[in-house]
Amino acid sequence: MDKPLQTFEVFTRRMGDDNVVWLQGELDLSKVAELRATLDPFVADTKRKLILNLKHLQYIDSTGIGVIVSVLKARELLHAPFAVEDIPPKISRLFDLTGITPFLQTSPTHARTING
């Protein structure tokens, strides 16, 4: 049995016309600055679609949701595509409860993994 992750990690990779960012572990106030710093160059790269993969995200608090909303708004202003993929059920439910689900474009996973 896998033991629960207690840390937060971000992995990035350019894949074709996409910038894919994987979030893993627990995203809370203490990790928001790290996430913003990682995402900023990808938010500005309007030539590629930005995709957040949440498959291994175990927890997100309101500050983490705020980062996703700010990325969504920034990409919208830049007329640049942004999508979220592999949203775990409990994270999806939280997105539903906070009302952001209708604004998120979901993207099908095309066998993308962190390692290749």
Side-chain angles (χ1 to χ4, degrees), residues 23 49-54 57 60 64-76 81-88 91-108:
L23 306 184
K49 182 176 191 175
L50 175 57
I51 299 173
L52 288 184
N53 183 296
L54 306 183
L57 188 65
I60 187 169
I65 291 172
V67 171
I68 292 173
V69 170
S70 68
V71 169
L72 173 68
K73 288 180 178 180
R75 295 291 286 189
E76 204 170 83
F82 172 66
V84 180
E85 67 183 13
D86 287 336
I87 305 171
I91 304 292
S92 181
R93 176 147 166 69
L94 187 57
F95 287 174
D96 289 346
L97 291 171
T98 58
I100 68 166
T101 301
F103 302 100
L104 295 176
Q105 176 189 358
T106 55
S107 178

Side-chain angles (χ1 to χ4, degrees), residues 10-29:
V10 181
F11 302 92
T12 62
R13 175 170 289 147
R14 284 197 171 107
M15 302 182 82
D17 292 332
D18 301 337
N19 286 320
V20 184
V21 178
W22 289 267
L23 306 184
Q24 180 174 310
E26 298 182 354
L27 174 55
D28 61 18
L29 177 63

